[in-house]
Amino acid sequence: MIDKLLKKGLFFLVVLTGFFSQAQIHNPVEWDSEVKQISDNEYQLVINAYIQENWHLYSQELPEGGALPTVFKFEDAGDKYELVGETNESESVTEYDNVFEMDLTYFSNSATFTQNIKVLDSSLTSIQGKVEYQACDDKACIFQTEDFEFIINEKSIANAGKEVSENEAISEDKEDLAVNNPEEKRSFWGIFIVAFLSGFAALLTPCVFPMIPMTVSFFTKQSKSRAAGIRNAIFYGISIVVIYVLLGSLVTLIFGADSLNALSTNVWFNIIFFILLVVFAISFMGAFEIVLPSSWGTKIDSKADKGGLIGIFFMALALAIVSFSCTGPIVGTLLVEAASKGGIAPIVGMLGFSLAIALPFGLFAAFPGWLNTLPKSGGWLNTVKVTLGFLELALAFKFLSNADLVLQLHILEREIFLAIWIAIFGMLALYLFGKIRLPHDSKVDHISVGRLITGLVALIFTIYLIPGLWGAPLKIISGFPPPMQYSESPDGIGASSAGVSSPTGSLPEGAKYGPHDIVSFHEYEDGLEYAKQKDLPVLIDFTGHACVNCRKMEERVWSEPQILEVLKNDVVLISLYVDDKRKLPESEQYVSETTGKEIESIGNKWSDFQITRYKANAQPYYVLIDHNEEKLIAPSAYEPDADEYYNWLKKGIENFSKPGTSSTQSLNADSVSVFQ
């Protein structure tokens, strides 16, 4: 009996868990306000936002076509007060967004907004205000409004100040917790892997590669035993790691963990780094050598002669200085790229880079016989160096493009950028095929297999870029060239003004063509009625014009042939935009029984519909229902795995088609199966 009760209890617990894991109310931003008196009749209205980790709140100033900006509205109090200037905001972060293909400005952890006012009537006791905002994390977006009341008296000012202090403490706790952010950890792993591969590339340059057999042979011959030689070589490798990690730590310490992030989005910084990368590229191609002062190397060598562990450490430092002409440009690029991530990313980057360089010394010291398998130094090392030069040159124009986008100069538009990259990678292919020779190249009668394969890769990539001049999306390099609309022909050569041709045939009443020409309804009742006529299930798509992950789903998941087939033929799509700012007729405006908020716009209406009926407020959010408006399967949120999303769609449609099976029974069964 007890076992049966436990099983039943577990069943309902799993069902509830499956439901609430999808249907939940997100409240990632908490707000409070205070009033500060500036003079006898001037006050400052202060609004504080406390943002959960992983979430972003967007700035008031954003370009059109991107995320929704934060908007503050203050009641019209007639002649009682007037606004002085604009609403100011605290320091923010601006980064390029690959989905919207533009720079977006946002806040993390906390934000403060201030609005100065001048009181014209001494009888004024309070001011009503409202904020409309969008907040997003990596999986969902929410669109909310929040009401404020600013009390104009000293007692309220003191109380408000106390409340803010407590919330500031909460905000500080959140900032501490942000260190353990799993998204940040994944980002650090990405930096580490890229840095490790960059270190491996630096290892194959003329400045570093010849040092491996020389240094390992020195340790094995000078040491009293093989074990001592291995120990010394390993300590040498560890010293290399320590030196580069100290460099990353020094950069972070001098500039600050977060200021580097802000610096990396600065126009002048991008221009300066473009110039530096061009100089590095020209150096790699053999025009000149970038070296540190020779006196530095002499002093370090004298320290290395002392022997012992200290001498070994200075030998590692000597390697870093001597090889600077090859490793310096790579290290510089890595530090800036890592700095754009903020935090300890430069340290992580230098750890990955130095491990790739240090690893061979320990391995070859432990297994000296492997030295015989190393290829001999020769012209191929210079080929590696020149190839890196071409890559540095291509990357340089990305930084110049960033500056051009921010300033909106339209000098380096998409076509010009792609033309430059086609020229660079085309020249790289010709170089690798031996058709072009540079100053330090040795004459060769034939090219190696490795060089031929690398040349073919460069040639294939060049050919891949060419259709981009005529409007091809080039998804492989998404985020590197300027966006499609930042070009001479935003819609592509020969395209219609809409960028796509509209399909032929009449649309059902109330329907429109959505993404990929899917027939979509924007009014719930219209779509439900059409679904009944066609005897098809309904897919409710809670979305937003400024929803990042909604666009990702539409572009990367809905575009899959098997999913597109389902969306066009097997369901009726109802897309409800919760950020639609169009006002409802006054007769249709109401106060939500669930949230108590005024529902004034179409977006408010659909947001309240989602919250009231499905106990969720994040987008994207997908619900499959039957004609009785019952769920056919547990709702789905952001799901980048196309196969998983397809299986979810097919399962819901099967439940719609099952004779004699209620929607609720199907939903419960599906909720359990998810966790089995």
Side-chain angles (χ1 to χ4, degrees), residues 198-199 201-203 205 207-208 244 247 251 273 276-277 279-281 283-284 289-292 319-337 350 353 357 385 388 392:
S198 300
L203 190 68
T205 59
C207 313
V208 183
Y244 281 102
L247 175 62
V251 170
F273 200 68
L276 284 176
L277 282 184
V279 172
F280 289 158
S283 173
F284 269 161
E289 293 285 339
I290 301 176
V291 295
L292 294 175
L319 171 68
I321 292 174
V322 170
S323 64
F324 181 79
S325 61
C326 292
T327 60
I330 301 174
V331 169
T333 306
L334 277 175
L335 283 174
V336 174
E337 285 296 303
M350 288 300 94
F353 178 83
I357 292 182
K385 189 176 176 183
L388 289 174
E392 291 262 1

Side-chain angles (χ1 to χ4, degrees), residues 27 55 160 348 543 582:
N27 188 29
W55 288 80
V348 174
T543 185
R582 291 177 296 166

Side-chain angles (χ1 to χ4, degrees), residues 427-654:
M427 293 293 285
L428 173 59
L430 290 174
Y431 170 77
L432 292 171
F433 290 144
K435 302 301 180 182
I436 299 173
R437 286 182 60 192
L438 292 175
H440 297 292
D441 287 329
S442 55
K443 188 175 181 180
V444 291
D445 297 326
H446 63 277
I447 59 175
S448 65
V449 174
R451 185 166 175 170
L452 175 64
I453 292 173
T454 307
L456 285 173
V457 170
L459 179 60
I460 292 169
F461 184 66
T462 304
I463 296 171
Y464 169 79
L465 292 175
I466 293 173
L469 296 173
W470 286 270
L474 305 180
K475 291 183 179 180
I476 293 177
I477 59 170
S478 176
F480 277 91
M484 293 286 289
Q485 65 266 26
Y486 196 78
S487 66
E488 295 179 2
S489 303
D491 302 315
I493 303 298
S496 66
S497 60
V500 293
S501 58
S502 298
T504 58
S506 60
L507 281 167
E509 186 176 352
K512 297 181 179 179
Y513 286 114
H516 313 295
D517 298 326
I518 302 168
V519 175
S520 172
F521 291 86
H522 291 181
E523 286 294 331
Y524 178 75
E525 295 298 336
D526 291 345
L528 184 61
E529 182 62 32
Y530 183 74
K532 292 177 181 178
Q533 294 175 15
K534 295 295 183 181
D535 193 28
L536 292 172
V538 171
L539 173 62
I540 307 176
D541 165 32
F542 289 102
T543 185
H545 296 293
C547 173
V548 174
N549 286 315
C550 301
R551 300 295 86 76
K552 286 182 181 179
M553 287 292 294
E554 293 163 3
E555 293 173 6
R556 303 177 187 179
V557 178
W558 287 13
S559 60
E560 291 296 316
Q562 72 274 24
I563 294 175
L564 198 55
E565 179 73 18
V566 171
L567 295 178
K568 286 190 173 184
N569 301 309
D570 300 336
V571 298
V572 173
L573 178 65
I574 303 177
S575 295
L576 304 179
Y577 287 83
V578 301
D579 59 350
D580 191 330
K581 296 298 184 182
R582 291 177 296 166
K583 289 290 183 182
L584 288 167
E586 288 192 14
S587 60
E588 297 181 19
Q589 296 181 13
Y590 64 97
V591 176
S592 170
E593 294 180 1
T594 305
T595 64
K597 294 182 178 180
E598 294 181 2
I599 306 303
E600 301 174 338
S601 68
I602 294 174
N604 293 157
K605 173 185 173 182
W606 298 133
S607 179
D608 185 58
F609 178 75
Q610 182 185 3
I611 292 170
T612 302
R613 185 163 296 194
Y614 302 111
K615 303 297 184 290
N617 69 336
Q619 296 79 40
Y621 193 73
Y622 306 103
V623 187
L624 271 167
I625 63 172
D626 61 15
H627 300 158
N628 297 319
E629 302 180 69
E630 296 286 346
K631 294 190 288 291
L632 294 166
I633 190 172
S636 174
Y638 175 66
E639 177 51 75
D641 188 323
D643 291 334
E644 288 291 331
Y645 191 76
Y646 175 74
N647 292 335
W648 175 81
L649 283 171
K650 295 300 289 183
K651 185 64 176 177
I653 295 169
E654 287 173 9

Side-chain angles (χ1 to χ4, degrees), residues 225-397:
S225 64
R226 182 170 179 268
I230 294 173
R231 185 173 61 250
N232 290 339
I234 291 174
F235 184 78
Y236 181 73
I238 293 173
S239 298
I240 293 172
V241 173
V242 170
I243 289 167
Y244 281 102
V245 169
L246 283 175
L247 175 62
S249 303
L250 187 63
V251 170
T252 304
L253 181 65
I254 292 174
F255 294 99
D258 296 323
S259 60
L260 275 169
N261 187 9
L263 184 66
S264 66
T265 60
N266 181 274
V267 170
W268 293 110
F269 176 84
N270 278 281
I271 292 174
I272 291 171
F273 200 68
F274 161 74
I275 296 171
L276 284 176
L277 282 184
V278 170
V279 172
F280 289 158
I282 295 172
S283 173
F284 269 161
M285 291 177 183
F288 54 84
E289 293 285 339
I290 301 176
V291 295
L292 294 175
S294 58
S295 59
W296 291 18
T298 303
K299 290 181 180 179
I300 296 300
D301 282 337
S302 64
K303 299 287 184 181
D305 292 337
K306 292 184 177 181
L309 296 181
I310 295 177
I312 294 174
F313 177 82
F314 279 103
M315 284 182 65
L317 185 57
L319 171 68
I321 292 174
V322 170
S323 64
F324 181 79
S325 61
C326 292
T327 60
I330 301 174
V331 169
T333 306
L334 277 175
L335 283 174
V336 174
E337 285 296 303
S340 67
K341 305 296 181 183
I344 60 170
I347 300 174
V348 174
M350 288 300 94
L351 177 62
F353 178 83
S354 57
L355 276 176
I357 292 182
L359 200 58
F361 292 98
L363 288 175
F364 285 114
F367 306 99
W370 289 3
L371 289 172
N372 296 326
T373 65
L374 283 178
K376 294 182 179 181
S377 300
W380 68 273
L381 290 174
N382 190 65
T383 302
V384 172
K385 189 176 176 183
V386 171
T387 301
L388 289 174
F390 277 104
L391 296 178
E392 291 262 1
L393 187 60
L395 183 60
F397 282 94

Side-chain angles (χ1 to χ4, degrees), residues 45-262:
L45 311 181
V46 182
I47 305 169
N48 299 292
Y50 305 98
I51 309 162
Q52 290 181 5
E53 55 267 26
N54 303 331
W55 288 80
H56 290 160
L57 171 70
Y58 291 96
S59 169
Q60 300 173 94
E61 299 295 333
L62 292 180
E64 292 184 4
L68 288 183
T70 299
V71 177
F72 291 94
K73 298 179 179 179
F74 300 94
E75 68 168 340
D76 183 4
D79 296 330
K80 290 189 175 183
Y81 78 96
E82 66 179 10
L83 300 178
V84 179
E86 302 292 332
T87 303
N88 296 317
E89 58 188 34
S90 56
E91 187 176 352
S92 56
V93 174
T94 301
E95 287 185 345
Y96 184 79
D97 188 282
N98 288 328
V99 174
F100 287 116
E101 297 185 329
M102 63 178 66
D103 288 315
L104 294 179
T105 304
Y106 64 86
F107 305 94
S108 298
N109 300 318
S110 64
T112 299
F113 303 87
T114 57
Q115 174 65 60
N116 290 352
I117 65 165
K118 184 176 182 180
V119 175
L120 305 176
D121 187 338
S122 59
S123 65
L124 179 70
T125 58
S126 67
I127 298 174
Q128 305 297 323
K130 176 187 291 186
V131 59
E132 299 175 351
Y133 66 95
Q134 173 182 357
C136 298
D137 68 355
D138 62 329
K139 294 183 179 179
C141 289
I142 60 104
F143 308 88
Q144 298 275 41
T145 61
E146 191 78 22
D147 296 321
F148 300 100
E149 183 178 16
F150 302 94
I151 307 299
I152 310 298
N153 64 62
E154 293 181 1
K155 184 177 179 180
S156 295
I157 293 171
N159 291 337
K162 181 179 179 181
E163 182 182 2
V164 169
S165 297
E166 292 172 352
N167 279 310
E168 282 176 353
I170 293 172
S171 178
E172 288 174 2
D173 291 340
K174 289 181 177 180
E175 288 176 4
D176 292 338
L177 290 172
V179 176
N180 298 317
N181 178 1
E183 288 297 320
E184 194 171 283
K185 290 179 180 178
R186 284 196 287 271
S187 177
F188 285 162
W189 272 112
I191 293 169
F192 179 87
I193 292 170
V194 171
F196 186 86
L197 294 175
S198 300
F200 184 74
L203 190 68
L204 300 178
T205 59
C207 313
V208 183
F209 186 81
M211 299 293 290
I212 298 175
M214 292 171 54
T215 306
V216 172
S217 298
F218 171 81
F219 284 130
T220 53
K221 291 178 181 178
Q222 297 298 320
S223 302
K224 296 181 179 180
S225 64
R226 182 170 179 268
I230 294 173
R231 185 173 61 250
N232 290 339
I234 291 174
F235 184 78
Y236 181 73
I238 293 173
S239 298
I240 293 172
V241 173
V242 170
I243 289 167
Y244 281 102
V245 169
L246 283 175
L247 175 62
S249 303
L250 187 63
V251 170
T252 304
L253 181 65
I254 292 174
F255 294 99
D258 296 323
S259 60
L260 275 169
N261 187 9

